[in-house]
Amino acid sequence: SQKIEQNSEALNIQEGKTATLTCNYTNYSPAYLQWYRQDPGRGPVFLLLIRENEKEKRKERLKVTFDTTLKQSLFHITASQPADSATYLCALISSNTGKLIFGQGTTLQVKP
Amino acid sequence: DTAVSQTPKYLVTQMGNDKSIKCEQNLGHDTMYWYKQDSKKFLKIMFSYNNKELIINETVPNRFSPKSPDKAHLNLHINSLELGDSAVYFCASSQGRPAYEQYFGPGTRLTVT
């Protein structure tokens, strides 16, 4: 069956360090992969989209990689700040159905 | 300006009641969605409408009925509420298919007692 897995354990890092979050998937051949940020009590907010033919995408302090061989995406936040603390969701677009399928998210806590 | 709005934000009701959640978007998008986020934070799609046409209808009990009176509105009506319906319901919208970027509303926390 199709699965998207993100590390369910919270990631705690020190301010200024690089945070790296992982998204693994099985039995998918996604054309696109997206990352969203969700703060407590709020809806997810779109951050980045990366296509299957792109290895890497950057936006300010954010970087996403997409390895279709490993079936994995890595999400990096460089020079992390306490304001980056949130839950980050990985989402795949199923090329069959066009539906957006979400992982369960990884909570990041950046300590000052 | 609110892009995607939902009402109410909180909804507490008893088992067996019928309730509705409303959603409106002012982004001019042609596709709208309902998602359910359970206590384990999994966000699962329930329904999607494109130009008022139902295009995604997941395995959801038929007690849930979406209605899209126009492209900017998507409502969710739930009959005979059950304890397991307690969750946060998010409305979202996007332009075009597939959904490259979705804009989410603030969510409606439904508690069934």
Side-chain angles (χ1 to χ4, degrees):
Chain A
S1 62
Q2 296 175 327
K3 263 188 180 179
I4 303 174
E5 288 184 343
Q6 295 183 253
N7 193 344
S8 57
E9 287 183 17
L11 178 63
N12 295 300
I13 65 168
Q14 207 65 35
E15 182 177 7
K17 301 290 186 186
T18 296
T20 299
L21 286 67
T22 305
C23 174
N24 295 301
Y25 60 92
T26 54
N27 297 323
Y28 274 114
S29 295
Y32 311 91
L33 187 144
Q34 303 183 19
W35 284 88
Y36 287 76
R37 169 183 172 144
Q38 186 173 21
D39 290 282
R42 293 177 171 260
V45 175
F46 172 81
L47 295 175
L48 280 168
L49 177 149
I50 187 165
R51 292 174 166 75
E52 61 179 339
N53 60 353
E54 297 175 317
K55 296 289 185 194
E56 183 179 296
K57 200 81 169 276
R58 290 176 186 260
K59 179 182 175 184
E60 296 171 354
R61 294 183 296 110
L62 308 181
K63 183 178 89 172
V64 172
T65 62
F66 191 11
D67 189 325
T68 54
T69 303
L70 289 179
K71 295 188 182 293
Q72 181 182 79
S73 174
L74 298 179
F75 177 80
H76 306 271
I77 305 175
T78 57
S80 59
Q81 305 165 0
D84 295 327
S85 299
T87 296
Y88 291 87
L89 304 167
C90 157
L92 300 177
I93 294 180
S94 169
S95 51
N96 293 336
T97 64
K99 291 186 294 189
L100 202 55
I101 313 295
F102 284 87
Q104 78 271 36
T106 298
T107 298
L108 171 68
Q109 190 72 33
V110 181
K111 299 186 176 175
Chain B
D1 282 345
T2 303
V4 182
S5 59
Q6 294 178 231
T7 53
K9 184 153 177 68
Y10 299 97
L11 189 51
V12 181
T13 188
Q14 291 185 327
M15 283 174 53
N17 284 348
D18 304 338
K19 290 293 177 186
S20 292
I21 307 172
K22 295 187 175 182
C23 177
E24 176 180 0
Q25 55 97 1
N26 63 4
L27 298 167
H29 288 166
D30 59 4
T31 307
M32 295 184 72
Y33 312 81
W34 278 112
Y35 286 87
K36 178 180 180 180
Q37 189 169 44
D38 60 25
S39 56
K40 293 184 178 179
K41 305 297 184 188
F42 271 105
L43 198 60
K44 289 186 180 175
I45 189 162
M46 300 172 68
F47 302 103
S48 177
Y49 273 77
N50 175 258
N51 286 318
K52 294 169 46 180
E53 179 189 348
L54 182 64
I55 57 170
I56 294 175
N57 186 355
E58 287 297 284
T59 309
V60 175
N62 57 14
R63 298 182 294 103
F64 290 78
S65 53
K67 278 214 177 107
S68 181
D70 56 57
K71 280 196 327 181
H73 296 85
L74 180 62
N75 303 323
L76 183 65
H77 188 76
I78 316 170
N79 290 326
S80 303
L81 278 155
E82 299 177 357
L83 292 176
D85 297 332
S86 296
V88 181
Y89 292 84
F90 288 100
C91 176
S93 72
S94 68
Q95 180 61 32
R97 297 161 62 183
Y100 296 121
E101 178 180 343
Q102 294 191 12
Y103 291 77
F104 284 79
T108 296
R109 181 174 292 278
L110 171 65
T111 303
V112 183
T113 60

